[in-house]
Amino acid sequence: MRIALLGPPGVGKGTVAGYMSKEFSVPHLSTGEMLRSEVAKQSPLGKEAGGYMDSGALVPDELVVRILDSRMGGQDCKEGFVLDGFPRTAAQAEVLSETMKRGRVELDGAVLLQAGETIVVGRLSGRRQCRECSAIYHLRNQPSKKEGVCDRCGGDLYQRTDDAEGTVRERLAAYRKESGPVIAYYEERGLLRKVSAEGDLDVTLAGMREVLSHLG
Ligand code: AP5
């Protein structure tokens, strides 16, 4: 299975990608996580990307493509993957298509997770994430068993710096500006599917499974 998850910040792409990755035994490729790891390492790429991320802007295509390209070439991606947060611009969608053509494979679908802005802002303000394994929690919707501690690995839970209110506003503005052409790109090619992510996680996951059962 080769799919890309699209949708606004906080809609649940990372959460849903985690479940789908386990269920279909394919890697979860999150460009946001890859970039945060480069920032934490203070690599040259991380230093360059960090400023964009902290302000809520998109990182330039060239940097994101470089980081994703090396990851997608990995042996574990041969049988498929769940892309989370990529592509985010029409240029990235084009690069993805070219990369897949070179590997003689095709994207099965681009799934747009949909929820209103009030919902996604509420999700981002309550999100907590594990510093060690990146597992995602929510203070109210998906709390860890012990406050501040990851159920999966015992790591510390933290709040992402880009979940501050002002940065969330900028991230939503970037999404409004850039997402239209990406959605149109996949719609024109008959690859776009839509799943409501407004309800509880179980309902979103059921919608995902239904859509995926009709792909490829
Ligand atoms: P990235 O990390 O990709 O952030 P994002 O797209 O803004 O999305 P989020 O990770 O914030 O949210 P999500 O949709 O994954 O939601 P989640 O599952 O966590 O990117 C960060 C930055 O990196 C960007 O701003 C940009 O600078 C840069 N970047 C990354 N990719 C790039 C690219 N391709 N090009 C350029 N720049 C790029 O869920 C949110 C919360 O809601 C959680 O607490 C979760 O527990 C809860 N939740 C989820 N689903 C449900 C549900 N159905 N019901 C109730 N609660 C739910």
Side-chain angles (χ1 to χ4, degrees), residues 134-146:
S134 304
I136 301 167
Y137 297 88
H138 189 278
L139 292 178
R140 207 181 41 254
N141 303 339
Q142 280 111 37
S144 58
K145 290 191 184 100
K146 188 171 171 207

Side-chain angles (χ1 to χ4, degrees), residues 60 82 95 100 111-112 124 189:
V82 181
V95 169
M100 295 189 76
V111 184
L112 175 63
L124 291 175
R189 287 158 181 79

Side-chain angles (χ1 to χ4, degrees), residues 29-57:
L29 307 183
S30 159
T31 44
E33 284 304 319
M34 292 174 204
L35 289 165
R36 278 186 288 282
S37 149
E38 294 297 318
V39 172
K41 283 191 277 187
Q42 282 291 291
S43 69
L45 192 150
K47 282 184 187 156
E48 203 174 336
Y52 294 99
M53 296 170 78
D54 284 345
S55 70

Side-chain angles (χ1 to χ4, degrees), residues 10 13-15 31 36 57 85 88 92 127 137 142 160 171:
K13 301 181 295 297
T15 304
T31 44
R36 278 186 288 282
R88 260 179 159 99
Q92 290 180 11
R127 171 166 59 191
Y137 297 88
Q142 280 111 37
R160 271 170 48 179
R171 288 163 62 198

